[in-house]
Amino acid sequence: MEPGKKWAAFSVVTVGVLMSTLDGSMVNIALPKIMGEFNVPLTMVEWVVVLYLLTITASLLTFGRLADIFGLMPVNTIGLVVFTLTSALCGLAKSSGQLILFRGFQGLGASMIMACGPAIVTAAFPEKERGRAMGFIGTVVAVGLTAGPGVGGLIMSQLNWRAIFYINIPLGALGAVISYRVLGAQEHRSRRVEFDWAGGALAALWLTCLLLGIERGSSHGWSGALPVSLLGASLA
């Protein structure tokens, strides 16, 4: 990549990582308001957080492999577009079920973004500068996770909980445009490599059962049949 464009590529990664990490932590602040508006218990509304994180974890390996095959620009740009559109849908949700469903799709967009971030930085920076660049990305992740509750609380004190999702729309649109223009300038040719769909599905199923089993066991007790069954399925 041209020297002048490495920081533009870095900005693409920064926008995506900051949005996805902020969104993962800001929503926790909004859960009481969501519970009150939709009149649902915590056991229902907690899936707004759980499904988002679970979807990211289960699909990260798959999207990383797809980026290897089809290139960073398509996967990263589509991820930003999906994240932006589903953020709007989350803000427009009319029920807790709709919100949970849209959060699952939002997690897919975040997964595409996260899968491409380190590869974009590696491709954009020369070897002697990669350590510093990856350190900056780590700082962005830490800032997003740390600032999320504070930013979410500030938004909630002034606006409705839906604004937590709406703020992603201009950021995501800007990131998608930059991603297409900057990364699209590089040559990313599709290689004739078959994707292991069975392996990808099994990896996603394994991670889903493992993490969901741990989450259910931690929150509802380990003596129930559900966490034991999920952990057994992950081992199988």
Side-chain angles (χ1 to χ4, degrees):
M1 179 176 289
E2 298 174 16
K5 289 189 175 181
K6 62 185 180 183
W7 291 109
F10 180 83
S11 69
V12 173
V13 178
T14 300
V15 169
V17 169
L18 190 59
M19 282 197 311
S20 54
T21 52
L22 273 174
D23 216 68
S25 55
M26 281 196 303
V27 176
N28 294 325
I29 304 298
L31 292 183
K33 293 288 187 180
I34 297 172
M35 288 171 58
E37 180 168 331
F38 293 136
N39 193 26
V40 292
L42 179 61
T43 53
M44 177 69 172
V45 80
E46 69 181 0
W47 283 97
V48 173
V49 176
V50 172
L51 187 60
Y52 176 77
L53 298 175
L54 190 62
T55 304
I56 292 174
T57 306
S59 60
L60 200 59
L61 290 173
T62 297
F63 287 126
R65 180 56 177 157
L66 289 175
D68 286 338
I69 296 173
F70 298 108
L72 296 172
M73 188 279 287
V75 176
N76 189 72
T77 304
I78 291 172
L80 286 164
V81 171
V82 169
F83 190 90
T84 303
L85 291 177
T86 51
S87 293
L89 291 174
C90 286
L92 295 170
K94 301 299 183 184
S95 67
S96 59
Q98 287 185 5
L99 180 57
I100 292 168
L101 176 64
F102 296 145
R103 280 285 281 177
F105 286 110
Q106 190 185 36
L108 290 176
S111 183
M112 294 183 204
I113 296 167
M114 293 181 179
C116 294
I120 292 172
V121 172
T122 300
F125 286 82
E127 185 176 356
K128 63 180 180 180
E129 298 179 10
R130 284 175 192 162
R132 182 177 63 165
M134 293 300 293
F136 285 152
I137 292 299
T139 301
V140 173
V141 172
V143 168
L145 293 174
T146 305
V151 173
L154 179 62
I155 293 173
M156 292 292 296
S157 67
Q158 303 295 325
L159 301 168
N160 189 277
W161 63 266
R162 298 175 187 273
I164 287 178
F165 298 106
Y166 290 146
I167 63 171
N168 292 326
I169 297 174
L171 289 174
L174 177 62
V177 171
I178 298 174
S179 176
Y180 180 78
R181 292 179 64 86
V182 174
L183 301 181
Q186 304 176 73
E187 190 175 52
H188 290 298
R189 296 178 180 175
S190 297
R191 292 179 289 169
R192 294 186 178 278
V193 179
E194 291 186 4
F195 182 77
D196 183 6
W197 292 104
L202 287 172
L205 183 61
W206 160 59
L207 286 168
T208 299
C209 291
L210 175 64
L211 297 175
L212 195 56
I214 294 173
E215 191 278 331
R216 293 290 92 180
S218 300
S219 59
H220 295 80
W222 296 99
S223 59
L226 182 58
V228 173
S229 299
L230 288 169
L231 291 175
S234 71
L235 289 174

